[in-house]
Amino acid sequence: MYVGDRPAGGAKRRVSAVGKLVVPGVIDGHVHFRSPGHPHKEDWGSGSRAAASGGVTTVLDMPNTNPPTLTRVEWEQKRRLAAEQSRVNFGIWVGASAGRNAEINELMDSGDACGIKVFMGASTGPLLVDDATLVALFEQTRGLIGVHAEEEGVLVPFRQRYEGHTAPNHNAVRPPVAAVVAVTRLLELVEAHLRPVHICHLSTAAEVELVAASRSRSAGAGGRDLPVSTEVCPHHLFLAADQPSGFGRLMPDGTSSSAGNWIKVNPPVRDEADRLAMWAAVHRNRVDTVGSDHAPHTEDEKGLPYWRAPSGIPGVETTLPLLLTAVRQGRLTLERVVELCSAEPARVFGLKGKGAIREGADADLVVLDPQHLEAGFEPGRLHRGDLLTRVGWSPFEGMPMVAKPDAVYVLGRLVAAKGQIVDDDVRGTLTRPGE
Ligand code: DOR
Ligand code: ZN
Ligand code: ZN
């Protein structure tokens, strides 16, 4: 294997990987690294170390930081933090907000922002757009729109209905219908404007069907491919709200609790039927990418009563090990993992130098031990001691999980090996669409 900085003139270094598997580094299009604003949860140093240890060599960071990333000034502030601290390559989403479309276009046309993030329902942070703002975005801005598709108008009455309950089921408070209504509206707009949209964290069978129906409607009406791509998150593939004992632990002490704040996340972890539908969607190529939606909150914060506990779970460093565990179990091929985690994110986000191993591509590489993927190999279980995220916990603790990669290279430099950071001086670079 040859690795080097972008090897226009050939590779600079030769590394032996005899007997190993080498795959492209994971591109995680969906992380919340919390900086600026909440470094007690995560910052670019801790988040990127966690990413690298788990085989993620590029992260795209979401705008719901403090301040939120809504303007050129805020985008530059975040870029500086990332450039100083990030051990992996990074891109930075700009958040959509009313009346800022000219500024958004400047960030998109320059190729600086990796996409425009829209919250159709309120989640962590102040970002929320109404329908008029959403329509104006489709009409006035350019580039990829990424969407958190839960409809605020549906969420509000459900929230009110459960207000008196101390520990309601989060999947009842934010039910599938909120996602269905949002995705329906979104697809209407995509069909009308043929504008590239990435739907984040599909979590229900119904959303998958809506996207498939819209794609075939569009193909029928003139054969144009609908410019829609979709993401699924590991927690919607590996956790189910109605089967807590079988899928991860809900409390740090290993017991399950009706409070269940450990898996409180938006959109919620759904029931088993939806979880299985997400696997079917993966197998039938109805989802394009896997993104972690790494959204760390501390154990103290998650230990608060339901209504005060924040939504979101960490996951950037467990995506690849979880999917490799599925490979070992025969539920997924390694090729499909590479598509979902590397090749398709590179296509969706237009990252030309990434997502594949070929001459001229960036040497963002992950070395795996093929023995770990064999059916007879007994994987370990995830322990919190394996985690590099600042919050130090995972909803997947205790689950069987293939070890982190043998070696992880960012732009040709070895940054992590067997789950540990081996060179803390490595820095990634800003990844821009088209480059
Ligand atoms: O559960 C969530 N947490 N959903 C989001 O949309 C945001 C995220 C966060 O930033 O904590
Ligand atoms: Zn979201
Ligand atoms: Zn998110």
Side-chain angles (χ1 to χ4, degrees), residues 30-32 34 62 64 117 119 123 148 200-201 231 233 265-267 292-295:
H30 192 160
V31 304
H32 301 262
R34 306 302 191 205
M62 288 298 176
N64 59 335
K117 180 66 188 292
F119 284 88
S123 191
H148 179 117
C200 298
H201 41 51
E231 171 195 72
C233 301
V265 59
N266 304 331
S292 70
D293 199 359
H294 178 76

Side-chain angles (χ1 to χ4, degrees), residues 347-408:
R347 179 185 67 78
V348 167
F349 298 109
L351 310 180
K352 296 219 166 67
K354 304 212 176 286
I357 301 178
R358 60 178 149 67
E359 220 181 310
D362 294 338
D364 296 331
L365 300 167
V366 171
V367 180
L368 303 173
D369 186 340
Q371 281 183 356
H372 290 182
L373 306 183
E374 281 166 17
F377 184 81
E378 206 37 62
R381 288 175 184 272
L382 181 74
H383 295 292
R384 53 178 47 210
D386 304 332
L387 298 167
L388 269 59
T389 171
R390 180 154 295 154
V391 296
W393 68 276
S394 163
F396 308 114
E397 275 173 57
M399 285 179 69
M401 204 175 298
V402 164
K404 286 178 174 175
D406 273 15
V408 181

Side-chain angles (χ1 to χ4, degrees), residues 176-408:
V177 64
V180 164
V181 170
V183 168
T184 303
R185 173 67 180 139
L186 195 55
L187 291 169
E188 258 172 38
L189 290 169
V190 181
E191 287 178 38
H193 296 269
L194 293 177
R195 178 65 192 281
V197 166
H198 186 57
I199 311 180
C200 298
H201 41 51
L202 287 192
S203 60
T204 63
E207 291 165 277
V208 173
E209 291 307 321
L210 284 169
V211 175
S214 176
R215 276 178 173 152
S216 50
R217 247 193 327 271
S218 174
R224 280 197 68 165
D225 276 349
L226 199 69
V228 148
S229 54
T230 56
E231 171 195 72
V232 64
C233 301
H235 44 275
H236 294 125
L237 290 171
F238 291 93
L239 302 173
D242 56 348
Q243 303 214 338
S245 56
F247 302 101
R249 305 183 335 191
L250 298 188
M251 301 294 282
D253 66 0
T255 61
S256 62
S257 153
S258 59
N261 292 340
W262 305 98
I263 59 164
K264 183 181 178 193
V265 59
N266 304 331
V269 167
R270 308 295 190 181
D271 286 345
E272 180 67 356
D274 280 320
R275 187 182 80 86
L276 295 175
M278 297 320 297
W279 273 106
V282 164
H283 289 133
R284 299 176 65 192
N285 295 344
R286 284 172 158 201
V287 290
D288 302 297
T289 71
V290 171
S292 70
D293 199 359
H294 178 76
H297 298 285
T298 66
E299 289 185 276
D300 283 351
E301 292 161 344
K302 293 297 262 185
L304 291 168
Y306 172 83
W307 290 102
R308 288 170 52 212
S311 296
I313 52 185
V316 69
E317 61 197 299
T318 44
T319 299
L320 186 61
L322 279 169
L323 292 177
L324 294 177
T325 308
V327 170
R328 193 199 67 83
Q329 293 164 336
R331 295 160 73 192
L332 207 55
T333 63
L334 183 62
E335 288 76 9
R336 185 77 180 119
V337 173
V338 171
E339 272 173 25
L340 290 162
C341 295
S342 305
E344 284 296 303
R347 179 185 67 78
V348 167
F349 298 109
L351 310 180
K352 296 219 166 67
K354 304 212 176 286
I357 301 178
R358 60 178 149 67
E359 220 181 310
D362 294 338
D364 296 331
L365 300 167
V366 171
V367 180
L368 303 173
D369 186 340
Q371 281 183 356
H372 290 182
L373 306 183
E374 281 166 17
F377 184 81
E378 206 37 62
R381 288 175 184 272
L382 181 74
H383 295 292
R384 53 178 47 210
D386 304 332
L387 298 167
L388 269 59
T389 171
R390 180 154 295 154
V391 296
W393 68 276
S394 163
F396 308 114
E397 275 173 57
M399 285 179 69
M401 204 175 298
V402 164
K404 286 178 174 175
D406 273 15
V408 181

